[in-house]
Amino acid sequence: MNCCSPAAETVTRSEATRDGVPAREEILLASPIVSESLRQTELSVPSIHCGGCIRAIEGALNRLDGVIEARVNLTTRRVTVRWRTGAGVPPLTETLAELGYQAHLAEPVTDRSDKTLAELVRALAVSGFAAANIMALSVAVWSGAGEETRSIFHWLSALIALPALVYSGRVFYRSAWTALRHGRTNMDVPISIGVLLAFGMSLYDTLHHGPHAYFDASVMLLFFLLVGRTLDHLMREKARAAIKGLARLAPRGAMVERADGTLSYLPITDIEPGMTVLLAAGERVPVDARVQAGTSDLDCSLVSGESAPRPVTPGDAIEAGTLNLTGPLRLGATAAAKDSFLAEMVRLMAAAEAGRTGYRRIADRAAQLYAPAVHMTAFLSFLGWAAASGDIHRAVTIAVAVLIITCPCALGLAVPIVQVVAARRLFEHGIMVKDGTGLERLAEVDTVVFDKTGTLTLGRPILRNHDRSAAADLALAAALAAHSRHPYARALVDAHVGCGPAAVTFDRIAERPGCGIEAVSPAGTFRLGRADWALRNPGAMAIALEGPSSILSKDGELVATFTFDDPVRPDARETITALKRRGLAVEILSGDHAAAVERLARDIDIEHFKAGMLPREKADHLAALAAVRRKVLMVGDGLNDAPALAAAHVSMAPSSGADVGRNAADFVFLRDSLGAVPLALAVARRANRLVHQNFALAVLYNAIALPFAVAGFVTPLVAALAMSTSSILVVANALRLNLDTRAQQRPAAERKRTGRQEAPALGVPG
């Protein structure tokens, strides 16, 4: 069976892979069909690092014949291309190679270590060590050391600087050389030229016993630049954890029963519709399927977000990624792994991540004009001084000073340093920042959307009441419940803590998957679970049950009814009031049934809510809000919320939520109070103002310093010191966030001392 399009015939074996670049045949085989005439290719391009890269790649690929859409994901450094099958495979990798980007087919998400981060940290350590030692040697030189001592110190500085510049500077040299080789420029070009010219001039002066050398300037320049790039990389890489966590929910394979009755374990990719899959208790469903035999309880929080297990019986449809809790099942596969519910969720999250690449920082937009302007200024300074003085050495020295003094260190630190300070302040209040860019997006929100279970509520069922007050009933139910891991069973056991033992001893206890627990004793047969299973005649009892419940029966007759509740988080109503006071719209999106959602919305004063929503429907609703220019903060916790969290403008999740939900969110709050939401909003808005102030400081610094450098009043060393001073000013301005938040928290502390009860952080001004 051949699933390839007719275009496959145009690809021959002669197009073998060369130099690690995938051939078109490989690209065709690795590109799934997304519609009748469209295929989608995922390419990994590790050298993408800024907005200029995104514009160049998307522009070039979108111009290719047959390409419908090309989108770059800066976070994962991947390129997604959709192309028509009738025109043959477009020259994707060849086009990227012409631009200077090495590309290969994207591999499935794995837990490989971050090689880029490791390289940045090593380069930062080497440059920092070299800068500290060269600066120590420079103190003696600039303090008036004799000619021989000065010459020795210059040579020692050169020996320290050379390996540091070669090793640490390659981060910038590679990018600059790639851009120049393909007729482009970027911010790394003037950086590389300034560093290399400063080193070359210093080496020339050292060889000729000159009084000055600027090894310290070149190495210090690299150090500050690497600080900014490392911080930026750390913040951005955290966003990748979401898709990894969701992909781990898919088992590697499953036990399949063949037509002749033999059993074999097949990889998940080899399971096809129509195959019979045997699923044991405790295993995850590998593909979308229908139950052929067996009964069990499934953890379907991936689908609905609700913690209550769902009983399944023959004929029920189940989704890939859900967890089989209590009994073995025989399943008939209804979809391949690539078409399953779990695969759809992964695609939704990947699409949402790619959508974020439309967000551009001010620094990336400035990069388009920065490099040409600096090049032109330095070149004109060189020409002017060479013509005016005839001293080529002095002209080159002034040009180097111009390049160094206009180095974008302050610009590069403007965003990440504020993100780091804000992340620290939020962490002190139990809020973890997963994605630094989320701070800027959080400052823009005008709508807050909450999930219900586990977000507005704690997601932990507790016993609300039962129809008889006798402690003996609860003790009896807890004795049965101790033999199950069902959430309601755990709630019964927790409610019984500290009470006496049950008056009845059991000869045999068994859990009936999808039904409940059955125990046999001399006093009779006891059942704890669903009413239609526990009672002999449930209809005649006319039991009016509100919300989730369990029935305790003896020989089919009602003994007690236990109802459960999911408690609302502390300060939920106060949080909603605080958000509305700031002018924010508030909604609830939940997979729970309408009655429960409506009751909660009424209790905490939220007018707009939607119930019974699947993951795609949540993501679609957020997309609809975005289409009318709403900036949405999504607060959710469940597996089913992950695509919505990724699709929202910015997102938060409680630490009690599922791993995938926490990984998909930009922020995670560690405490039960929802007061974390308005507090994070306040800090984000303040941080956003500080970022813009930092950009203004960086621009003002260049406006003041550049004329002095062009006029020849600045040496390369003074230029490096001025550049460092501008970076320190940016850092100091970012640290003001600590003072601001502490001042805002003082009134809350005073209220606490006077005994007034008020939710912390709800009154922090935004």
Side-chain angles (χ1 to χ4, degrees), residues 75 400 437 457 467 649 678:
T75 300
V400 170
T437 63
T457 66
D467 63 357
H649 189 63

Side-chain angles (χ1 to χ4, degrees), residues 9 36 107 203-204 310 392 404 446 473 539 573 603 619:
E9 298 173 1
E36 265 187 39
E107 300 174 1
L203 191 60
Y204 175 85
R310 185 185 89 192
I392 299 298
I404 292 177
D446 53 27
D473 295 343
R573 189 179 182 91
D603 289 345

